[in-house]
Amino acid sequence: MTKYVRLDKYLADAGAGTRSEVKKMIRSGKVRVGETVIRQPEFKVASVSAKDGGDAVLLNGVPVLAQPEFVYYLLHKPKGCVSATEDRQEKTVMEYVPDSRKGLFPVGRLDKDTEGLLLITNDGALAHELLSPGKHVEKTYYAVVQGVVTPDDVQKVSRGLDIGEDKETLPGKLEILNTHPESDPPKSEIRLTICEGKFHQVKRMMHVLGKEVLYLKRISMGPLTLPENLKKGECRLLSEAEISALKNR
């Protein structure tokens, strides 16, 4: 079923200006729908562009393409910013997103000092699916920890850990990538996959094992993987294949 929206909203959502600015444009006769000049901001048009079967909306003779209802950005979150839509004291992840439309938010949280993959969207239903504890969406992290991680630690993680909550963590997968027992202090490089999102979960799990996280980076979430060529602080739209994989995982 085709969804219809007000003409001023269509133009504002497409980036033609603020709601008040596009109202002035419409009333001044700068907007056509098809061959007809429309001067009523409340005039209803299809929410999709003409190429997708909607109305041909033109501003000063130039076609204005409708924005999709939902957008999906993949951000390589750097350190030093918080996973929030706004914050009075801290820089937020939204400052890295090249889109000023309302309703965008980060899906889940990465700590201020944690880097890596973060999904930004306005699709609340998909966000709920990804964050719901019952869905068990896998998240994989690369970490450098203080201390030597052992095969015994791997087994403990695979069984679940008591991190001070009502229930133990669900079984996770801990991989030892490298150990540096000769360094001062000794360090290990690990990859950890979990399917929960408890507060500071990775750091708390490592603490229970007698290790402390020195560096943490999320490298995947569900079917999404952080691209190697996406630099810290860079953000890009998800491909159609990535969106499909998220929705049909």
Side-chain angles (χ1 to χ4, degrees), residues 95-112:
E95 296 181 41
Y96 295 94
V97 181
D99 194 324
S100 59
R101 81 182 72 191
K102 294 181 180 179
L104 289 172
F105 59 91
V107 178
R109 292 180 177 272
L110 291 180
D111 298 339
K112 182 179 177 180

Side-chain angles (χ1 to χ4, degrees), residues 143-149 176 178-190 211-212 214:
V144 178
V145 300
Q146 182 174 317
V148 176
V149 178
I176 303 171
N178 215 335
T179 58
H180 306 276
E182 74 289 346
S183 64
D184 186 18
K187 299 176 184 177
S188 301
E189 296 175 65
I190 63 167
K211 282 76 179 176
E212 300 300 327
L214 303 175

